[in-house]
Amino acid sequence: MAASSSGDPRERVTSVAEVAEGLRAVGYLPGESTALVAYLATRLGKPILVEGPAGVGKTELAKALAAFLGRSLVRLQCYEGLDEAKALYEWNYRKQLLRIQAEADGAGWQQVQDDIFGEEFLLSRPLMTAIASEEPVVLLIDEIDKTDQEFEAMLLELLSDFQISIPELGRVEARTRPVVLLTSNNTRELTEALKRRCLYLWLDYPALEHELEIVKLHAPEIGGGVARKLVEIVAMVRELDLKKPPSIAESIDWARALLLLGADDIDGTTFSQTMSIIVKHRTDLDVVAERVGVKLGLAEGTLGASSA
Ligand SMILES: Nc1ncnc2c1ncn2[C@@H]1O[C@H](COP(=O)(O)OP(=O)(O)OP(=O)(O)O)[C@@H](O)[C@H]1O
Ligand SMILES: [Mg+2]
């Protein structure tokens, strides 16, 4: 494997505390296990599989890690039907055609063929870009659970050998080794083979104090009292049996909205006016209005008014 040696920032990371601090410095407040797993991944050269509910900072972790390590981020957004042509590489047919036309007279087929299957005619997609890069990158394979198992198998090969075989061209070996993060929302169980090759990080909704810190970071002007009440309410809402509990992203949105509205407290009225920022299903709105709204002193008659 041709991982670069001297210039690789991986070698500069020497402790979990350094990773934790580094992530904080770029605006990501990691939990304990996050910093630990990120540290191990950079040192062991193993991919991290990050799972957890929506909006808890999975994608953001990859961005923050790239910023902290001083690497560029190469992102592969997964979706159903994603294939090698979009993930690895593709031949640039148009350019090949042009070359064939240009060489139409004179050149023999063998020569044309040698020409058009050269690197110049390759369109490299994220996975290839990541391993072919001169400078080591952070590779984010986002929402891997959206692809099918065949794609996962292809990925396994890449993650274990760090090379790509192109039938017409031969093997393309990695120039540098990326730090790899895979994220999953758990919509399907990933294969054991994939899990075995990765370090595992489960990101859950954060503890109260942790979320408070995150909210204050993203909405610095918010008053301490409101912010605390906000995260307490969000935690309370998450306790309910909802279709879609609010995520960190929604706590942040709510804080920003309250700021814009100039709210210096979250009373029943403010809550009923703004709860659709954190709760986004009709049935959930009813449950929340009833269970949380009442606690906040929401007048009976206004229950559910915001959800109409
Ligand atoms: N630990 C954290 N420190 C700072 N900001 C955070 C943290 N966790 C989450 N956030 C913020 O929460 C928001 C949502 O994060 P992100 O988009 O990474 O979620 P996700 O887990 O990838 O969600 P999805 O599964 O929906 O893609 C972002 O704006 C991010 O900045
Ligand atoms: Mg994401």
Side-chain angles (χ1 to χ4, degrees), residues 33-81:
S33 45
T34 306
L36 176 76
V37 172
Y39 170 69
L40 290 177
T42 54
R43 292 303 296 257
L44 299 174
K46 280 197 146 219
I48 312 176
L49 171 62
V50 193
E51 283 195 307
V56 291
K58 300 184 294 295
T59 304
E60 197 66 24
L61 173 62
K63 294 183 188 166
L65 208 52
F68 158 56
L69 294 171
R71 297 181 174 200
S72 27
L73 180 75
V74 175
R75 179 173 181 171
L76 175 66
Q77 180 64 48
C78 299
Y79 51 87
E80 215 181 305

Side-chain angles (χ1 to χ4, degrees), residues 7-239:
D8 194 338
R10 193 194 317 164
E11 285 160 4
R12 296 206 295 266
V13 178
T14 54
S15 69
V16 180
E18 188 189 338
V19 174
E21 240 165 70
L23 290 174
R24 293 181 85 89
V26 295
Y28 189 89
L29 309 180
E32 236 170 76
S33 45
T34 306
L36 176 76
V37 172
Y39 170 69
L40 290 177
T42 54
R43 292 303 296 257
L44 299 174
K46 280 197 146 219
I48 312 176
L49 171 62
V50 193
E51 283 195 307
V56 291
K58 300 184 294 295
T59 304
E60 197 66 24
L61 173 62
K63 294 183 188 166
L65 208 52
F68 158 56
L69 294 171
R71 297 181 174 200
S72 27
L73 180 75
V74 175
R75 179 173 181 171
L76 175 66
Q77 180 64 48
C78 299
Y79 51 87
E80 215 181 305
L82 174 66
D83 59 6
E84 297 189 9
K86 289 284 169 286
L88 270 179
Y89 70 89
E90 202 170 10
W91 289 106
N92 188 341
Y93 296 118
R94 258 188 246 191
K95 204 169 168 191
Q96 286 178 321
L97 261 180
L98 283 174
R99 169 58 69 89
I100 293 170
Q101 279 171 356
E103 289 189 5
D105 19 80
W109 169 240
Q110 188 58 48
Q111 191 197 333
V112 174
Q113 195 180 8
D114 287 347
D115 266 8
I116 61 172
F117 289 111
E119 266 188 53
E120 187 193 344
F121 296 91
L122 216 51
L123 291 172
S124 96
R125 301 300 185 200
L127 296 182
M128 179 133 156
T129 306
I131 69 162
S133 165
E134 298 282 348
E135 298 291 329
V137 301
V138 171
L139 171 62
L140 165 63
I141 302 172
D142 216 6
E143 311 192 359
I144 174 76
D145 51 328
K146 300 250 170 77
T147 63
D148 44 37
Q149 295 208 350
E150 287 87 85
F151 186 85
E152 227 183 281
M154 185 277 290
L155 205 56
L156 279 180
E157 207 183 309
L158 181 88
L159 293 181
S160 46
D161 304 340
F162 283 90
Q163 65 179 28
I164 295 171
S165 299
I166 303 177
E168 301 87 347
L169 201 66
R171 257 182 7 203
V172 179
E173 290 209 21
R175 293 201 181 104
T176 50
R177 203 184 255 226
V179 168
V180 184
L181 271 99
L182 302 109
T183 79
S184 160
N185 274 6
N186 244 336
T187 57
R188 75 171 168 86
E189 189 70 24
L190 301 171
T191 61
E192 283 304 319
L194 182 79
K195 287 193 170 167
R196 201 169 58 235
R197 281 170 181 79
C198 299
L199 298 175
Y200 186 74
L201 176 65
W202 171 259
L203 280 188
D204 212 337
Y205 301 118
L208 211 132
E209 295 300 326
H210 189 191
E211 184 157 17
L212 183 60
E213 211 187 343
I214 296 174
V215 166
K216 282 180 176 165
L217 178 80
H218 286 272
E221 300 90 17
I222 196 161
V226 192
R228 181 165 291 277
K229 193 156 182 186
L230 179 153
V231 293
E232 279 170 5
I233 295 175
V234 168
M236 202 152 55
V237 172
R238 283 186 195 135
E239 292 284 305

